């Protein structure tokens, strides 16, 4: 009888131990399951593209009057090929023609020039007409300004004026043998416009001539 009880007790103890062991394993699985570590994803920082600042061209207001604009566009009233008589009618103070460049040889070939003073942009400007056989083939304006900053503003202001009329010009700069100058050239098809700032002399010269290829 005692032997039977002992065997029964042993069996119950074994079942209890197995049951406890099973529960312990299940709890361990739950703990492992609940403590899974999720690796953080890499953080990608997207940088906004940098916007490079574009230097804006200085805008020069020359304060041009109605007469200034008319004088800057004399080409509308005196196209190339105009006879000297017509030029004289538009500019009565115009001096009589003389040999171009003071050259007697050029005079023999029919090349002459005549000049007049103009009030332009609050300054005195020289306007020289060049002719062959009394027919206009080019003419040029010249303004003298010793102050470099003022001269540069006048040059840029005139450039911007003609840019509106003929589109952007072709620019060139010359720096050689201590001589500095810059120029702008426009080609309308019927004529060309050439402007130069001679920094050494303090001169700004520009004018209309027969079309040339740039």
């Amino acid at each position: 009888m005692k032997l039977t009880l002992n065997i029964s007790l042993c069996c119950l103890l074994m079942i209890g131990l197995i049951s406890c062991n099973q529960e312990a394993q299940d709890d361990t699985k739950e703990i492992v399951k609940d403590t899974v570590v999720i690796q953080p994803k890499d953080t990608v920082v997207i940088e906004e593209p940098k916007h490079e600042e574009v230097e804006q061209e200085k805008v020069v207001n020359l304060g041009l009057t109605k007469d200034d604009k008319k004088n800057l566009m004399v080409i509308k009233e005196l196209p190339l090929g105009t006879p000297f008589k017509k030029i004289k009618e538009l500019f009565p103070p115009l001096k009589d023609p003389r040999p171009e460049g003071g050259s007697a040889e050029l005079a023999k070939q029919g090349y002459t020039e005549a000049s007049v003073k103009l009030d332009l942009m609050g300054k005195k400007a020289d306007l020289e007409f060049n002719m062959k056989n009394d027919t206009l083939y080019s003419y040029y304006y010249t303004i003298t300004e010793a102050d470099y900053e003022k001269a540069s503003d006048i040059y840029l202001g005139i450039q911007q004026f003609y840019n509106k009329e003929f589109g952007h010009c072709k620019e060139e700069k010359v720096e050689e043998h201590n001589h500095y100058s810059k120029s702008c050239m426009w080609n309308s098809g019927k004529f060309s416009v050439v402007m130069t700032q001679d920094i050494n002399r303090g001169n700004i010269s520009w004018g209309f001539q027969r079309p040339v290829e740039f």
Side-chain angles (χ1 to χ4, degrees), residues 53-208:
E53 293 185 4
V54 178
E55 185 177 351
Q56 297 295 320
E57 182 183 50
K58 178 182 179 180
V59 177
V60 177
N61 182 4
L62 294 175
L64 298 176
T65 65
K66 186 177 179 180
D67 285 339
D68 286 336
K69 294 177 181 179
K70 182 179 178 181
N71 283 328
L72 287 170
M73 289 298 293
V74 171
I75 189 70
K76 291 183 177 180
E77 297 183 74
L78 297 177
L80 301 183
T82 298
F84 176 76
K85 183 179 179 181
K86 178 69 176 177
I87 302 172
K88 183 74 172 178
E89 289 175 1
L90 191 63
F91 294 99
L94 189 66
K95 297 177 181 179
D96 291 335
R98 63 181 183 180
E100 186 169 330
S103 170
E105 187 61 33
L106 288 176
K108 290 179 181 180
Q109 299 176 40
Y111 290 99
T112 56
E113 63 186 30
S115 60
V116 65
K117 290 283 187 182
L118 283 181
D119 289 318
L120 190 60
M121 298 176 287
K123 300 181 71 65
K124 286 293 182 182
D126 292 306
L127 177 56
E128 179 183 289
F129 296 94
N130 301 303
M131 294 155 288
K132 182 177 182 181
N133 300 326
D134 287 336
T135 300
L136 183 66
Y137 74 85
S138 70
Y139 51 94
Y140 288 88
Y141 308 75
T142 301
I143 287 179
T144 300
E145 175 54 70
D147 186 289
Y148 172 75
E149 294 296 332
K150 291 181 180 179
S152 293
D153 281 350
I154 293 172
Y155 176 89
L156 183 56
I158 295 171
Q159 176 185 341
Q160 290 170 351
F161 174 83
Y162 285 129
N163 279 345
K164 291 179 180 178
E165 295 287 338
F166 309 118
H168 285 278
C169 67
K170 178 181 178 183
E171 298 183 79
E172 290 184 357
K173 293 183 180 180
V174 175
E175 297 184 16
E176 56 182 15
H177 305 300
N178 295 321
H179 181 80
Y180 304 93
S181 67
K182 55 184 177 180
S183 62
C184 258
M185 293 163 280
W186 296 264
N187 196 336
S188 74
K190 293 182 179 180
F191 53 81
S192 294
V193 186
V194 179
M195 179 170 66
T196 301
Q197 179 185 358
D198 189 321
I199 297 172
N200 295 67
R201 296 181 179 180
N203 288 342
I204 305 163
S205 179
W206 72 98
F208 299 83

Side-chain angles (χ1 to χ4, degrees), residues 29-47:
K29 288 180 179 178
E30 288 296 326
I31 292 172
V32 172
K33 181 179 179 181
D34 292 342
T35 56
V36 173
V37 179
I38 300 174
Q39 295 296 328
K41 294 182 180 180
D42 292 337
T43 303
V44 179
V45 179
I46 301 176
E47 295 185 1

Side-chain angles (χ1 to χ4, degrees), residues 14-34:
M14 289 292 291
I15 292 170
L17 288 171
I18 292 170
S19 176
C20 289
N21 186 47
Q22 183 65 42
E23 289 179 1
Q25 289 181 358
D26 291 342
D27 289 342
T28 303
K29 288 180 179 178
E30 288 296 326
I31 292 172
V32 172
K33 181 179 179 181
D34 292 342

